[in-house]
Amino acid sequence: MKNQLPITDRENYISFHETAYKDDLKHAEDNAIKHPRWAVISGYYAMHDITKLFLAKRFAVKITGPEIHESAIVELKERIHDEKTREKLLKLLASAKDMYFNVERLKENTLPEMLRQGRQERRKSQYYREDYTKERKTTMETASYFLDNIAKPFIKLMEALLHAD
Protein backbone atom coordinates (compact mmCIF):
# COMPACT_ATOMS: atom_id res chain seq x y z
CA MET A 1 0.00 0.00 0.00
CA LYS A 2 1.24 3.49 -0.75
CA ASN A 3 0.66 6.53 1.40
CA GLN A 4 1.63 10.13 1.16
CA LEU A 5 4.79 10.45 3.28
CA PRO A 6 3.92 12.80 6.15
CA ILE A 7 6.30 15.72 6.48
CA THR A 8 6.76 14.79 10.17
CA ASP A 9 8.04 11.33 9.18
CA ARG A 10 9.97 12.32 6.05
CA GLU A 11 13.43 12.90 7.53
CA ASN A 12 13.45 9.68 9.59
CA TYR A 13 11.98 7.52 6.81
CA ILE A 14 14.50 8.78 4.25
CA SER A 15 17.41 8.52 6.67
CA PHE A 16 16.47 4.94 7.55
CA HIS A 17 16.33 3.82 3.91
CA GLU A 18 19.57 5.62 3.00
CA THR A 19 21.32 3.63 5.70
CA ALA A 20 19.42 0.37 5.18
CA TYR A 21 20.14 -0.11 1.47
CA LYS A 22 23.86 0.52 2.00
CA ASP A 23 23.99 -1.85 4.99
CA ASP A 24 22.11 -4.53 3.08
CA LEU A 25 24.42 -4.24 0.07
CA LYS A 26 27.53 -4.40 2.27
CA HIS A 27 26.10 -7.44 4.07
CA ALA A 28 25.41 -9.10 0.72
CA GLU A 29 28.93 -8.46 -0.55
CA ASP A 30 30.51 -9.65 2.69
CA ASN A 31 28.52 -12.90 2.64
CA ALA A 32 28.63 -13.91 -1.03
CA ILE A 33 31.23 -16.61 -0.35
CA LYS A 34 30.52 -17.75 3.17
CA HIS A 35 26.72 -17.43 3.23
CA PRO A 36 25.50 -17.05 -0.38
CA ARG A 37 21.84 -17.57 0.50
CA TRP A 38 22.00 -14.52 2.76
CA ALA A 39 23.90 -12.57 0.11
CA VAL A 40 20.94 -12.94 -2.25
CA ILE A 41 18.43 -12.08 0.46
CA SER A 42 20.37 -9.00 1.55
CA GLY A 43 21.07 -7.97 -2.04
CA TYR A 44 17.36 -7.98 -2.78
CA TYR A 45 16.60 -5.98 0.37
CA ALA A 46 19.16 -3.39 -0.74
CA MET A 47 17.17 -3.11 -3.99
CA HIS A 48 13.87 -2.89 -2.10
CA ASP A 49 15.14 -0.25 0.33
CA ILE A 50 16.64 1.99 -2.36
CA THR A 51 13.34 1.77 -4.22
CA LYS A 52 11.49 2.99 -1.15
CA LEU A 53 14.11 5.72 -0.71
CA PHE A 54 13.65 6.86 -4.32
CA LEU A 55 9.86 6.94 -4.00
CA ALA A 56 10.08 8.88 -0.74
CA LYS A 57 12.65 11.42 -1.88
CA ARG A 58 11.29 12.10 -5.36
CA PHE A 59 7.56 11.66 -4.86
CA ALA A 60 6.90 11.78 -1.08
CA VAL A 61 5.48 8.26 -1.23
CA LYS A 62 5.72 5.85 1.69
CA ILE A 63 5.28 2.14 0.93
CA THR A 64 3.78 0.08 3.77
CA GLY A 65 1.51 -2.85 4.44
CA PRO A 66 1.32 -6.59 3.95
CA GLU A 67 1.99 -6.41 0.19
CA ILE A 68 4.96 -4.08 0.59
CA HIS A 69 7.19 -5.83 -1.95
CA GLU A 70 4.61 -5.90 -4.73
CA SER A 71 3.51 -2.36 -3.87
CA ALA A 72 7.07 -1.09 -4.27
CA ILE A 73 7.35 -2.74 -7.70
CA VAL A 74 3.99 -1.39 -8.88
CA GLU A 75 4.68 2.12 -7.56
CA LEU A 76 8.14 2.19 -9.15
CA LYS A 77 6.64 1.12 -12.46
CA GLU A 78 4.06 3.91 -12.27
CA ARG A 79 6.53 6.59 -11.19
CA ILE A 80 9.18 5.95 -13.82
CA HIS A 81 6.58 7.00 -16.38
CA ASP A 82 6.60 10.49 -14.88
CA GLU A 83 7.90 12.59 -17.80
CA LYS A 84 10.90 14.04 -16.00
CA THR A 85 11.90 10.71 -14.42
CA ARG A 86 11.37 8.81 -17.68
CA GLU A 87 13.68 11.18 -19.56
CA LYS A 88 16.43 10.83 -16.94
CA LEU A 89 16.00 7.07 -16.78
CA LEU A 90 16.29 6.59 -20.53
CA LYS A 91 19.52 8.64 -20.55
CA LEU A 92 20.88 6.59 -17.67
CA LEU A 93 19.97 3.33 -19.35
CA ALA A 94 21.68 4.43 -22.55
CA SER A 95 24.90 5.18 -20.68
CA ALA A 96 24.62 2.11 -18.43
CA LYS A 97 24.56 -0.35 -21.30
CA ASP A 98 28.33 -0.17 -21.58
CA MET A 99 28.79 -0.89 -17.88
CA TYR A 100 26.31 -3.65 -17.14
CA PHE A 101 23.69 -4.46 -19.69
CA ASN A 102 23.15 -6.10 -22.98
CA VAL A 103 21.59 -3.38 -25.14
CA GLU A 104 18.56 -5.53 -26.04
CA ARG A 105 17.53 -5.71 -22.37
CA LEU A 106 17.36 -1.96 -21.93
CA LYS A 107 13.94 -0.45 -21.97
CA GLU A 108 11.80 1.80 -19.92
CA ASN A 109 10.55 -0.92 -17.56
CA THR A 110 14.02 -2.31 -16.85
CA LEU A 111 14.03 -1.14 -13.22
CA PRO A 112 10.68 -2.68 -12.16
CA GLU A 113 11.62 -5.87 -14.02
CA MET A 114 14.96 -6.03 -12.21
CA LEU A 115 13.25 -5.45 -8.85
CA ARG A 116 10.72 -8.19 -9.61
CA GLN A 117 13.53 -10.55 -10.64
CA GLY A 118 15.41 -9.70 -7.44
CA ARG A 119 12.32 -10.55 -5.43
CA GLN A 120 12.00 -13.90 -7.21
CA GLU A 121 15.65 -14.73 -6.56
CA ARG A 122 15.26 -13.77 -2.90
CA ARG A 123 12.23 -16.04 -2.58
CA LYS A 124 14.13 -18.94 -4.16
CA SER A 125 16.95 -18.48 -1.66
CA GLN A 126 14.85 -17.73 1.40
CA TYR A 127 12.00 -20.23 1.26
CA TYR A 128 11.74 -23.98 0.93
CA ARG A 129 10.90 -25.28 -2.55
CA GLU A 130 9.82 -28.80 -3.44
CA ASP A 131 12.42 -28.86 -6.22
CA TYR A 132 15.23 -28.06 -3.80
CA THR A 133 18.28 -30.27 -4.29
CA LYS A 134 21.97 -29.81 -3.59
CA GLU A 135 22.39 -28.74 -7.21
CA ARG A 136 19.65 -26.10 -6.88
CA LYS A 137 20.77 -24.54 -3.61
CA THR A 138 22.09 -21.00 -3.58
CA THR A 139 25.80 -21.19 -4.31
CA MET A 140 28.57 -18.64 -4.25
CA GLU A 141 28.32 -18.47 -8.04
CA THR A 142 24.57 -17.84 -7.88
CA ALA A 143 25.01 -15.11 -5.28
CA SER A 144 27.86 -13.45 -7.18
CA TYR A 145 25.90 -13.52 -10.43
CA PHE A 146 22.85 -12.05 -8.71
CA LEU A 147 24.84 -9.27 -7.07
CA ASP A 148 26.90 -8.40 -10.16
CA ASN A 149 24.10 -8.62 -12.74
CA ILE A 150 20.93 -7.63 -10.93
CA ALA A 151 21.39 -6.01 -7.51
CA LYS A 152 24.40 -3.75 -8.09
CA PRO A 153 23.35 -2.48 -11.53
CA PHE A 154 19.86 -1.76 -10.18
CA ILE A 155 21.31 0.13 -7.22
CA LYS A 156 23.70 2.13 -9.44
CA LEU A 157 20.82 3.19 -11.67
CA MET A 158 18.64 4.09 -8.69
CA GLU A 159 21.47 6.09 -7.10
CA ALA A 160 21.91 7.97 -10.36
CA LEU A 161 18.17 8.72 -10.50
CA LEU A 162 18.24 9.88 -6.87
CA HIS A 163 21.05 12.31 -7.60
CA ALA A 164 19.84 13.51 -11.01
CA ASP A 165 18.65 17.09 -11.14
Side-chain angles (χ1 to χ4, degrees), residues 123-146:
R123 284 177 166 172
K124 286 186 220 174
S125 292
Q126 190 169 8
Y127 300 115
Y128 171 76
R129 301 180 317 273
E130 287 184 14
D131 67 345
Y132 179 86
T133 64
K134 273 191 159 188
E135 294 77 33
R136 303 243 349 185
K137 72 179 185 177
T138 305
T139 63
M140 178 185 70
E141 292 81 12
T142 306
S144 294
Y145 181 87
F146 173 76

mmCIF file of all heavy atoms in Angstrom, residues 123-146:
data_model
loop_
_atom_site.group_PDB
_atom_site.id
_atom_site.type_symbol
_atom_site.label_atom_id
_atom_site.label_comp_id
_atom_site.label_asym_id
_atom_site.label_seq_id
_atom_site.Cartn_x
_atom_site.Cartn_y
_atom_site.Cartn_z
ATOM 1 N N ARG A 123 13.171 -14.989 -2.992
ATOM 2 C CA ARG A 123 12.231 -16.039 -2.580
ATOM 3 C C ARG A 123 12.829 -17.424 -2.770
ATOM 4 O O ARG A 123 12.663 -18.297 -1.923
ATOM 5 C CB ARG A 123 10.926 -15.929 -3.376
ATOM 6 C CG ARG A 123 10.033 -14.819 -2.936
ATOM 7 C CD ARG A 123 8.831 -14.770 -3.837
ATOM 8 N NE ARG A 123 7.784 -13.958 -3.285
ATOM 9 C CZ ARG A 123 6.684 -13.621 -3.945
ATOM 10 N NH1 ARG A 123 6.510 -14.038 -5.190
ATOM 11 N NH2 ARG A 123 5.776 -12.873 -3.389
ATOM 12 N N LYS A 124 13.506 -17.638 -3.897
ATOM 13 C CA LYS A 124 14.132 -18.940 -4.161
ATOM 14 C C LYS A 124 15.172 -19.270 -3.103
ATOM 15 O O LYS A 124 15.343 -20.421 -2.730
ATOM 16 C CB LYS A 124 14.805 -18.955 -5.539
ATOM 17 C CG LYS A 124 13.862 -19.041 -6.697
ATOM 18 C CD LYS A 124 14.698 -19.206 -7.956
ATOM 19 C CE LYS A 124 14.152 -18.412 -9.101
ATOM 20 N NZ LYS A 124 15.026 -18.462 -10.273
ATOM 21 N N SER A 125 15.897 -18.259 -2.652
ATOM 22 C CA SER A 125 16.948 -18.477 -1.660
ATOM 23 C C SER A 125 16.399 -18.576 -0.242
ATOM 24 O O SER A 125 16.949 -19.290 0.589
ATOM 25 C CB SER A 125 17.953 -17.324 -1.697
ATOM 26 O OG SER A 125 18.673 -17.348 -2.883
ATOM 27 N N GLN A 126 15.322 -17.857 0.028
ATOM 28 C CA GLN A 126 14.847 -17.726 1.399
ATOM 29 C C GLN A 126 13.869 -18.812 1.815
ATOM 30 O O GLN A 126 13.842 -19.199 2.976
ATOM 31 C CB GLN A 126 14.202 -16.353 1.585
ATOM 32 C CG GLN A 126 13.895 -16.025 3.026
ATOM 33 C CD GLN A 126 13.505 -14.570 3.209
ATOM 34 O OE1 GLN A 126 13.324 -13.829 2.250
ATOM 35 N NE2 GLN A 126 13.367 -14.152 4.436
ATOM 36 N N TYR A 127 13.075 -19.315 0.885
ATOM 37 C CA TYR A 127 11.999 -20.226 1.259
ATOM 38 C C TYR A 127 12.210 -21.614 0.682
ATOM 39 O O TYR A 127 12.784 -21.788 -0.394
ATOM 40 C CB TYR A 127 10.645 -19.679 0.782
ATOM 41 C CG TYR A 127 10.328 -18.329 1.373
ATOM 42 C CD1 TYR A 127 10.231 -17.198 0.585
ATOM 43 C CD2 TYR A 127 10.158 -18.174 2.746
ATOM 44 C CE1 TYR A 127 9.945 -15.958 1.127
ATOM 45 C CE2 TYR A 127 9.876 -16.944 3.308
ATOM 46 C CZ TYR A 127 9.770 -15.844 2.490
ATOM 47 O OH TYR A 127 9.497 -14.621 3.037
ATOM 48 N N TYR A 128 11.685 -22.601 1.373
ATOM 49 C CA TYR A 128 11.743 -23.984 0.925
ATOM 50 C C TYR A 128 10.975 -24.143 -0.387
ATOM 51 O O TYR A 128 9.903 -23.579 -0.567
ATOM 52 C CB TYR A 128 11.135 -24.915 1.985
ATOM 53 C CG TYR A 128 10.961 -26.317 1.485
ATOM 54 C CD1 TYR A 128 12.059 -27.159 1.363
ATOM 55 C CD2 TYR A 128 9.718 -26.787 1.091
ATOM 56 C CE1 TYR A 128 11.918 -28.444 0.877
ATOM 57 C CE2 TYR A 128 9.558 -28.077 0.605
ATOM 58 C CZ TYR A 128 10.660 -28.901 0.499
ATOM 59 O OH TYR A 128 10.521 -30.169 0.001
ATOM 60 N N ARG A 129 11.558 -24.933 -1.286
ATOM 61 C CA ARG A 129 10.898 -25.277 -2.548
ATOM 62 C C ARG A 129 10.912 -26.795 -2.684
ATOM 63 O O ARG A 129 11.887 -27.446 -2.312
ATOM 64 C CB ARG A 129 11.649 -24.676 -3.739
ATOM 65 C CG ARG A 129 11.780 -23.189 -3.709
ATOM 66 C CD ARG A 129 12.539 -22.653 -4.941
ATOM 67 N NE ARG A 129 13.722 -23.389 -5.357
ATOM 68 C CZ ARG A 129 14.965 -23.196 -4.879
ATOM 69 N NH1 ARG A 129 15.168 -22.329 -3.917
ATOM 70 N NH2 ARG A 129 15.978 -23.885 -5.342
ATOM 71 N N GLU A 130 9.874 -27.351 -3.254
ATOM 72 C CA GLU A 130 9.822 -28.798 -3.440
ATOM 73 C C GLU A 130 10.911 -29.301 -4.368
ATOM 74 O O GLU A 130 11.342 -30.434 -4.261
ATOM 75 C CB GLU A 130 8.444 -29.217 -3.964
ATOM 76 C CG GLU A 130 7.373 -29.125 -2.896
ATOM 77 C CD GLU A 130 6.028 -29.628 -3.387
ATOM 78 O OE1 GLU A 130 5.969 -30.280 -4.451
ATOM 79 O OE2 GLU A 130 5.052 -29.367 -2.690
ATOM 80 N N ASP A 131 11.376 -28.445 -5.273
ATOM 81 C CA ASP A 131 12.417 -28.861 -6.223
ATOM 82 C C ASP A 131 13.825 -28.617 -5.690
ATOM 83 O O ASP A 131 14.796 -28.701 -6.413
ATOM 84 C CB ASP A 131 12.230 -28.182 -7.577
ATOM 85 C CG ASP A 131 12.460 -26.676 -7.525
ATOM 86 O OD1 ASP A 131 12.492 -26.102 -6.415
ATOM 87 O OD2 ASP A 131 12.593 -26.072 -8.601
ATOM 88 N N TYR A 132 13.932 -28.339 -4.393
ATOM 89 C CA TYR A 132 15.234 -28.062 -3.798
ATOM 90 C C TYR A 132 16.092 -29.325 -3.819
ATOM 91 O O TYR A 132 15.674 -30.396 -3.403
ATOM 92 C CB TYR A 132 15.078 -27.589 -2.351
ATOM 93 C CG TYR A 132 16.405 -27.303 -1.680
ATOM 94 C CD1 TYR A 132 17.007 -26.067 -1.813
ATOM 95 C CD2 TYR A 132 17.065 -28.275 -0.941
ATOM 96 C CE1 TYR A 132 18.225 -25.784 -1.224
ATOM 97 C CE2 TYR A 132 18.287 -28.010 -0.341
ATOM 98 C CZ TYR A 132 18.861 -26.769 -0.489
ATOM 99 O OH TYR A 132 20.073 -26.501 0.089
ATOM 100 N N THR A 133 17.281 -29.205 -4.335
ATOM 101 C CA THR A 133 18.283 -30.268 -4.295
ATOM 102 C C THR A 133 19.621 -29.598 -4.057
ATOM 103 O O THR A 133 19.744 -28.375 -4.152
ATOM 104 C CB THR A 133 18.359 -31.053 -5.626
ATOM 105 O OG1 THR A 133 18.786 -30.156 -6.645
ATOM 106 C CG2 THR A 133 17.025 -31.681 -5.994
ATOM 107 N N LYS A 134 20.637 -30.392 -3.791
ATOM 108 C CA LYS A 134 21.969 -29.808 -3.589
ATOM 109 C C LYS A 134 22.378 -28.990 -4.806
ATOM 110 O O LYS A 134 23.008 -27.956 -4.679
ATOM 111 C CB LYS A 134 22.999 -30.911 -3.343
ATOM 112 C CG LYS A 134 23.107 -31.312 -1.914
ATOM 113 C CD LYS A 134 24.312 -32.205 -1.723
ATOM 114 C CE LYS A 134 24.681 -32.162 -0.255
ATOM 115 N NZ LYS A 134 25.912 -32.826 0.027
ATOM 116 N N GLU A 135 22.017 -29.447 -5.984
ATOM 117 C CA GLU A 135 22.386 -28.745 -7.215
ATOM 118 C C GLU A 135 21.624 -27.434 -7.371
ATOM 119 O O GLU A 135 22.049 -26.551 -8.086
ATOM 120 C CB GLU A 135 22.136 -29.624 -8.450
ATOM 121 C CG GLU A 135 23.012 -30.868 -8.531
ATOM 122 C CD GLU A 135 22.557 -31.994 -7.599
ATOM 123 O OE1 GLU A 135 21.344 -32.131 -7.372
ATOM 124 O OE2 GLU A 135 23.434 -32.711 -7.088
ATOM 125 N N ARG A 136 20.484 -27.298 -6.720
ATOM 126 C CA ARG A 136 19.650 -26.100 -6.880
ATOM 127 C C ARG A 136 19.781 -25.138 -5.716
ATOM 128 O O ARG A 136 19.112 -24.122 -5.678
ATOM 129 C CB ARG A 136 18.177 -26.510 -7.039
ATOM 130 C CG ARG A 136 17.955 -27.454 -8.185
ATOM 131 C CD ARG A 136 17.124 -27.038 -9.263
ATOM 132 N NE ARG A 136 16.362 -25.851 -9.077
ATOM 133 C CZ ARG A 136 15.509 -25.417 -9.947
ATOM 134 N NH1 ARG A 136 15.334 -26.079 -11.034
ATOM 135 N NH2 ARG A 136 14.842 -24.319 -9.745
ATOM 136 N N LYS A 137 20.642 -25.454 -4.744
ATOM 137 C CA LYS A 137 20.775 -24.541 -3.614
ATOM 138 C C LYS A 137 21.516 -23.279 -4.055
ATOM 139 O O LYS A 137 22.168 -23.255 -5.092
ATOM 140 C CB LYS A 137 21.466 -25.204 -2.436
ATOM 141 C CG LYS A 137 22.927 -25.432 -2.617
ATOM 142 C CD LYS A 137 23.513 -26.071 -1.379
ATOM 143 C CE LYS A 137 25.017 -26.176 -1.517
ATOM 144 N NZ LYS A 137 25.637 -26.721 -0.350
ATOM 145 N N THR A 138 21.412 -22.256 -3.265
ATOM 146 C CA THR A 138 22.086 -20.999 -3.577
ATOM 147 C C THR A 138 23.582 -21.178 -3.335
ATOM 148 O O THR A 138 24.007 -21.458 -2.223
ATOM 149 C CB THR A 138 21.536 -19.861 -2.703
ATOM 150 O OG1 THR A 138 20.121 -19.800 -2.871
ATOM 151 C CG2 THR A 138 22.154 -18.530 -3.106
ATOM 152 N N THR A 139 24.356 -21.012 -4.390
ATOM 153 C CA THR A 139 25.802 -21.190 -4.314
ATOM 154 C C THR A 139 26.500 -19.835 -4.366
ATOM 155 O O THR A 139 25.871 -18.810 -4.647
ATOM 156 C CB THR A 139 26.302 -22.028 -5.497
ATOM 157 O OG1 THR A 139 26.021 -21.311 -6.713
ATOM 158 C CG2 THR A 139 25.631 -23.403 -5.542
ATOM 159 N N MET A 140 27.774 -19.860 -4.140
ATOM 160 C CA MET A 140 28.575 -18.644 -4.247
ATOM 161 C C MET A 140 28.450 -18.063 -5.659
ATOM 162 O O MET A 140 28.340 -16.856 -5.834
ATOM 163 C CB MET A 140 30.036 -18.967 -3.940
ATOM 164 C CG MET A 140 30.969 -17.796 -4.074
ATOM 165 S SD MET A 140 32.696 -18.258 -3.839
ATOM 166 C CE MET A 140 32.988 -19.209 -5.307
ATOM 167 N N GLU A 141 28.441 -18.935 -6.657
ATOM 168 C CA GLU A 141 28.323 -18.465 -8.043
ATOM 169 C C GLU A 141 26.964 -17.804 -8.283
ATOM 170 O O GLU A 141 26.880 -16.769 -8.936
ATOM 171 C CB GLU A 141 28.529 -19.621 -9.033
ATOM 172 C CG GLU A 141 29.929 -20.170 -9.065
ATOM 173 C CD GLU A 141 30.242 -21.158 -7.935
ATOM 174 O OE1 GLU A 141 29.309 -21.616 -7.230
ATOM 175 O OE2 GLU A 141 31.434 -21.452 -7.745
ATOM 176 N N THR A 142 25.914 -18.413 -7.742
ATOM 177 C CA THR A 142 24.566 -17.844 -7.875
ATOM 178 C C THR A 142 24.502 -16.466 -7.218
ATOM 179 O O THR A 142 23.988 -15.512 -7.797
ATOM 180 C CB THR A 142 23.518 -18.768 -7.216
ATOM 181 O OG1 THR A 142 23.634 -20.067 -7.758
ATOM 182 C CG2 THR A 142 22.115 -18.257 -7.415
ATOM 183 N N ALA A 143 25.038 -16.380 -6.012
ATOM 184 C CA ALA A 143 25.008 -15.112 -5.278
ATOM 185 C C ALA A 143 25.824 -14.052 -5.999
ATOM 186 O O ALA A 143 25.376 -12.912 -6.155
ATOM 187 C CB ALA A 143 25.541 -15.313 -3.857
ATOM 188 N N SER A 144 27.008 -14.413 -6.474
ATOM 189 C CA SER A 144 27.857 -13.447 -7.184
ATOM 190 C C SER A 144 27.193 -12.974 -8.465
ATOM 191 O O SER A 144 27.223 -11.784 -8.781
ATOM 192 C CB SER A 144 29.217 -14.076 -7.506
ATOM 193 O OG SER A 144 29.913 -14.320 -6.312
ATOM 194 N N TYR A 145 26.599 -13.902 -9.203
ATOM 195 C CA TYR A 145 25.896 -13.518 -10.434
ATOM 196 C C TYR A 145 24.752 -12.562 -10.111
ATOM 197 O O TYR A 145 24.589 -11.528 -10.773
ATOM 198 C CB TYR A 145 25.364 -14.752 -11.169
ATOM 199 C CG TYR A 145 24.665 -14.370 -12.448
ATOM 200 C CD1 TYR A 145 25.378 -14.224 -13.635
ATOM 201 C CD2 TYR A 145 23.295 -14.109 -12.471
ATOM 202 C CE1 TYR A 145 24.752 -13.834 -14.806
ATOM 203 C CE2 TYR A 145 22.662 -13.714 -13.639
ATOM 204 C CZ TYR A 145 23.398 -13.581 -14.804
ATOM 205 O OH TYR A 145 22.780 -13.183 -15.971
ATOM 206 N N PHE A 146 23.969 -12.902 -9.105
ATOM 207 C CA PHE A 146 22.845 -12.054 -8.713
ATOM 208 C C PHE A 146 23.318 -10.653 -8.338
ATOM 209 O O PHE A 146 22.773 -9.655 -8.798
ATOM 210 C CB PHE A 146 22.080 -12.690 -7.551
ATOM 211 C CG PHE A 146 21.015 -11.795 -6.991
ATOM 212 C CD1 PHE A 146 19.820 -11.609 -7.666
ATOM 213 C CD2 PHE A 146 21.205 -11.112 -5.791
ATOM 214 C CE1 PHE A 146 18.833 -10.764 -7.167
ATOM 215 C CE2 PHE A 146 20.233 -10.270 -5.282
ATOM 216 C CZ PHE A 146 19.047 -10.100 -5.974
#
